[in-house]
Amino acid sequence: MPFISDEKDKITKRMLENNYTMPVEFLLVGFTDYLPLRVALFLVFLIVYTLTVVGNVGLIILVNINSSLQTPMYYFLSNLSFLDISYSTAITPKMLENFLASKKSISLSGCALQMFSFGCFADAECLILAAMAYDRYAAICNPLLYSALVSRRVCVFCVVLAYFSGGVTSMVHVCLTFRLPFCGSNVVNHFFCDIPPLLALSCTDTYINELLLFALCGFIQTSTFVVIFISYFCILLTVLSIKSSGGRSKTFSTCASHLIAITLFYGTLLFMYLRPTTSYSPDTDKVVAVFYTVVFPMFNPIIYSFRNKDVKYALRKLLDRNWTFK
């Protein structure tokens, strides 16, 4: 009897696959249907997104117009800010629109573009964070070789590799996801087009998709985290050898803030994408996703830059110049 039942299920599934039509749009469930709460969330996330754009655009402009910030560290930081703006913009405007819309929908092409943009920029950010950690390692542990270890060519290569790797892996996920038959509902239990909730809508076996998601995301996230961990471990050993307590505590403070931000960012990504789809919890996943798509991009300029004396001095100098001009 179980064998017959399994065969019937397979036949039914095959018929659905053969007769499916690709949906023209997806409906995003979002967070809640309670209008007052949706309005409140709209205002909160609008403020967060505004601060994200202003902070990161301000940092990019400051780095590009100030000659004292034309260094590898700030070159990587300006790219990090661009990535933060980019993948936050891929998600947040549509999310804000759906908070106030009666029908929370996204077109098929819009869904694919959103998935590609987010995946590309998020993967690229992992590689940029690794490059930043390597830059700090070279500056603190090998200052005499710094100009050779982190030359202009090395910096450009790291950034190009980050965008290229992010684009290729994201394109693989998008192509494989949108080749799947979505035979049943077109309701996505999320606030954006992420890979796991879309795989859950498919009526066919998604083993290959899950395997590639685990392999590609796992490789990028794990390898870059290892580079970051080794870099900061070497920095820690070097800092411990510093005799000056003032210099030691200052370096510890900087490294600690970076490590906290990196741990939170990587922790949420690893939690979301390196586990089987059977363990997904839509409500928990949406809360976790808010942090790495909306909240973290707002804090990165503060954590990595505006606590830095060089950035504060450059900003003060720019403001003084503008005030004098007026």
Side-chain angles (χ1 to χ4, degrees), residues 118-319:
F118 171 71
C120 174
F121 296 130
D123 284 345
E125 177 149 333
C126 291
L127 291 157
I128 292 294
L129 288 172
M132 289 169 60
Y134 170 74
D135 171 76
R136 291 300 83 206
Y137 157 77
I140 296 172
C141 301
N142 293 284
L144 298 178
L145 297 174
Y146 180 73
S147 58
L149 293 173
V150 195
S151 64
R152 179 69 178 177
R153 181 178 294 180
V154 171
C155 293
V156 172
F157 173 77
C158 289
V159 171
V160 170
L161 178 65
Y163 288 104
F164 177 75
S165 301
V168 170
T169 56
S170 187
M171 183 60 72
V172 170
H173 292 313
V174 170
C175 291
L176 288 178
T177 299
F178 285 90
R179 287 182 62 187
L180 294 172
F182 298 102
C183 320
S185 173
N186 66 335
V187 178
V188 181
N189 195 359
H190 214 301
F191 62 89
F192 74 101
C193 284
D194 202 5
I195 300 170
L198 278 172
L199 294 184
L201 296 182
S202 177
C203 57
T204 190
D205 184 21
T206 58
Y207 173 75
I208 297 297
N209 298 72
E210 293 176 42
L211 181 64
L212 281 172
L213 180 64
F214 186 86
L216 295 177
C217 290
F219 176 74
I220 289 178
Q221 292 170 22
T222 305
S223 60
T224 53
F225 187 77
V226 167
V227 170
I228 292 167
F229 179 81
I230 292 173
S231 298
Y232 277 104
F233 181 74
C234 293
I235 290 171
L236 178 62
L237 294 179
T238 303
V239 168
L240 291 174
S241 65
I242 298 175
K243 294 181 179 179
S244 168
S245 60
R248 195 162 53 234
S249 63
K250 180 183 175 182
T251 310
F252 266 130
S253 173
T254 303
C255 291
S257 62
H258 290 189
L259 282 174
I260 290 170
I262 288 166
T263 301
L264 290 173
F265 178 72
Y266 273 88
T268 52
L269 288 181
L270 292 171
F271 172 80
M272 284 296 297
Y273 300 110
L274 298 188
R275 59 196 173 110
T277 53
T278 53
S279 64
Y280 289 138
S281 171
D283 293 334
T284 304
D285 291 353
K286 281 185 271 190
V287 173
V288 173
V290 163
F291 282 95
Y292 66 78
T293 57
V294 182
V295 178
F296 291 163
M298 178 185 67
F299 286 121
N300 277 343
I302 301 170
I303 293 170
Y304 289 106
S305 306
F306 294 122
R307 294 177 72 252
N308 186 295
K309 67 175 184 179
D310 294 332
V311 174
K312 286 194 271 191
Y313 175 75
L315 184 60
R316 195 180 304 116
K317 187 177 177 181
L318 178 64
L319 293 174

